[in-house]
Each structure stands twice: as C-alpha cells, then as structure tokens.
Amino acid sequence: MKRLIIVMIITCLLPLSAAPVWQAGVDLRCIDSSFYPSLRLDAEASYRFGSVRVSLPVRYSHSYDYELDFIETGLAVSVYPFGDLGFYAGVSLLRFGAFWGLEAPEDNLIFFSEAMIGWTIDFPYFYIEPRISITDVFASEEARLSVLREAVPQYSRFRISLLAGFAM
C-alpha cells in the first residue's frame, strides 16, 4: 500500500511534458513455445504520460506434459529517467497469479514481484521493446514458482523479452 501511495504522489508531481500514449503489445519471444512441451503467452496494455508508464500485463502458461495451468496479471510502473531516449526501469506494484489443474499447488493463489529494465523504440504507430525482467525479486514464492518452472520451461526467473505492439 505504501508503494502505491508513493507512486501516486510521484506521478502527480512529475511534469506532463509529452502527450499521453496508449500502447498494447505481445511478447514475440513466446514463439519459443513451438520448441517446448508447454505454452506461454504474454500480452501487455499500458498508458504512458510524460516520463511515467503504467502497465497491465496478462500472462498465461500451460503445460502439455503436466496437468498445470497458470494465469497472472498485475500492475507495473516504469519511469523513463532520460526523457525521450527510450531507456526505462520499472517495478510491479501488484502481481498475482492463479494455478489450476491436477498438479497445481494446494495454495493456488500467489503474490510476487517483478523488476524490469528495457528500451522502448517508438515508430509512428507501433513500437518494439527489448526488455530484461526478474521475477520474484525477493524470492518469496520460490517453492511454488519452481513447480511452474518445471512444468513450463519458458517460465524462468530471468527473462529476456521482445515486446512489439501498436501505440496511439
């Protein structure tokens, strides 16, 4: 709750120098699901105003070898410290997921964290964004996430992604 209040205060104090931008994209790295016995799909919708971006990621993972599915979402905030140069750093304010299936952990709801850095490359109506992210930064849910990593090999603690999408 403290993080949310701090982010709201910072957001109100930042000058809104650039026009607001809506973005929606998918992670092109999910194509690697063709080579594994599992599926991972990542999508993200975001709103950028000035040097701050608020994102709503939605991710789905399914294992063909195990009876396990996982869906997650949350709210992330990223800051562009160098203006329009494209570099950003961000953290999740809230991130949670749910397991289901025969091999799902008994406590199926999970709350964890994420930190990311990346580079947004803007074009007139679309963008691409290489990103490095670290899941469960504080290792608070290591046991349940290791079950997910075993069933879905694409779900790793460190992930290199390439988001691509459109911007309005």
Side-chain angles (χ1 to χ4, degrees), residues 17-101:
S17 59
V21 176
W22 288 96
Q23 297 175 322
V26 295
D27 186 359
L28 298 180
R29 181 153 179 250
C30 291
I31 194 82
D32 67 355
S33 294
S34 306
F35 307 107
Y36 290 103
S38 56
L39 171 71
R40 178 173 171 157
L41 300 172
D42 294 12
E44 182 175 291
S46 59
Y47 181 71
R48 182 176 171 187
F49 49 98
S51 60
V52 176
R53 180 175 68 180
V54 179
S55 304
L56 178 74
V58 177
R59 299 174 178 128
Y60 172 72
S61 301
H62 171 75
S63 176
Y64 298 118
D65 290 343
Y66 297 80
E67 288 290 327
L68 181 68
D69 289 284
F70 183 68
I71 191 162
E72 64 180 287
T73 189
L75 186 65
V77 172
S78 303
V79 176
Y80 291 80
F82 305 117
D84 290 335
L85 294 179
F87 174 79
Y88 70 90
V91 295
S92 61
L93 294 177
L94 173 67
R95 186 162 175 200
F96 61 95
F99 292 96
W100 73 90

Side-chain angles (χ1 to χ4, degrees), residues 125-147:
Y125 293 102
F126 68 97
Y127 71 99
I128 57 173
E129 188 174 281
R131 173 189 293 180
I132 298 173
S133 58
I134 303 170
T135 302
D136 197 26
V137 177
F138 302 110
S140 61
E141 297 291 347
E142 189 62 36
R144 287 189 278 176
L145 287 176
S146 66
V147 170

Side-chain angles (χ1 to χ4, degrees), residues 148-164:
L148 181 61
R149 285 186 201 113
E150 182 180 329
V152 181
Q154 301 97 309
Y155 205 94
S156 60
R157 185 174 172 120
F158 298 96
R159 182 164 175 88
I160 297 173
S161 304
L162 180 63
L163 270 71

